[in-house]
Amino acid sequence: MAVRYATKTGNWSDVTVWDGGASKPTTGDTVVANTFTVTIDEDVNIGSGTIQTLASGAAASGGGFSITAGGRTVTANFLAGTTTCLTVSHTSGTVTINGNANGSAATASKFGISQTGAGGTLNVTGTPTGGGASSARGISATAGVLNITGTPVGGTSSGAGVYISGATVAITGDVTGGAGREGAEIASGTLTISGNATPYA
């Protein structure tokens, strides 16, 4: 279990992208973009480890991770720092995420996961949680289909656990408001909840 970080922009599968240049992140690691953009081009399993854009160890805040093609499965938690952590933009097929997604604690409008690909499906098993900064959503879905199995939670500021604007979203689980925002907020699109919904304070 270590802090691993990108040293250049490139693909996750390329060991030369990572500090040390000889191995990829593994189970339990904290993986930091370190101002670069890393494309997740293969299945990734770091267990309960965290993929993030928040500074840690020798790695700086900023940068981000992306998934541009369907057929990927990623097991990890996602944490936004000064930038959105993961952008999912595939336009066909399915991407599966097993883990939690957290909006930024300190930077407005930075999301744990941003889903932008029309035509693609994103399946998430975990807890999307809004951050402490304004509009720092756990997951922001502006296109495609999003299926969540878990319990979205609103943040302490105005960041919803899940924000929907133009996507089709189904949540299997309870939705809970935080101190400052709904567990799920919809501007447009479709939202179906199979569970209980509790308003925010």
Side-chain angles (χ1 to χ4, degrees), residues 24 54 92 96 120 130 149 175 183 185 196:
K24 295 179 288 186
L54 182 68
S92 63
T96 300
T149 301
V175 178
E185 177 185 3
N196 299 315

Side-chain angles (χ1 to χ4, degrees), residues 15-79:
V15 295
T16 68
V17 164
W18 303 106
D19 60 294
S23 65
K24 295 179 288 186
T26 190
T27 302
D29 286 346
T30 296
V31 185
V32 188
N34 191 34
T35 75
F36 299 102
T37 300
V38 177
T39 299
I40 298 175
D41 63 329
E42 63 180 0
D43 291 349
V44 169
N45 185 354
I46 61 168
S48 60
T50 300
I51 294 173
Q52 62 187 55
T53 55
L54 182 68
S56 182
S61 293
F65 298 85
S66 69
I67 297 176
T68 59
R72 306 279 180 257
T73 297
V74 180
T75 300
N77 298 309
F78 293 89
L79 174 62

Side-chain angles (χ1 to χ4, degrees), residues 4-19:
R4 301 297 309 276
Y5 54 90
T7 60
K8 63 182 180 180
T9 290
N11 291 330
W12 184 288
S13 63
D14 180 1
V15 295
T16 68
V17 164
W18 303 106
D19 60 294

